[in-house]
Amino acid sequence: MSFRDNFTGFWNVWKHDIITRDYALLDEIHPNRIRTAEQWFRREDQLGKDLGKGSLWERVQPENWRSDSPILKGSADARTGTL
């Protein structure tokens, strides 16, 4: 089986709704879960401010990138660095 065949089957399982998500069950198991990308961005922004790292926008600016606190992996290292 080729890599393409394998992943075509994988994606078709989701495309044709063979696998479904039970969001009511997820809410019951973890009622405070993050439901949207906006919630995640707002939470990360507030966490950074609370920790004194600044807002999410400030932390992703190139002049604020630090190796001890990665937010995004920069391509400047030709993908040779650690994640």
Side-chain angles (χ1 to χ4, degrees):
M1 176 180 283
S2 72
F3 189 81
R4 181 183 184 141
D5 290 339
N6 189 18
F7 275 91
T8 297
F10 171 80
W11 291 117
N12 281 335
V13 166
W14 294 99
K15 180 171 116 179
H16 297 292
D17 294 324
I18 294 169
I19 295 178
T20 59
R21 292 181 178 92
D22 185 349
Y23 290 109
L25 178 62
L26 287 175
D27 290 340
E28 188 178 322
I29 294 168
H30 188 37
N32 298 321
R33 71 183 177 87
I34 295 172
R35 292 174 174 81
T36 65
E38 180 181 357
Q39 286 179 332
W40 183 87
F41 280 112
R42 290 185 187 279
R43 190 193 78 171
E44 286 301 311
D45 188 62
Q46 190 59 50
L47 283 173
K49 289 176 184 176
D50 293 346
L51 294 171
K53 294 181 177 183
S55 71
L56 187 58
W57 177 253
E58 292 167 344
R59 288 182 282 151
V60 298
Q61 298 309 302
E63 63 271 11
N64 296 327
W65 291 359
R66 298 185 346 229
S67 62
D68 64 332
S69 145
I71 297 293
L72 300 173
K73 177 156 174 32
S75 60
D77 66 353
R79 299 178 186 256
T80 59
T82 58
L83 290 175

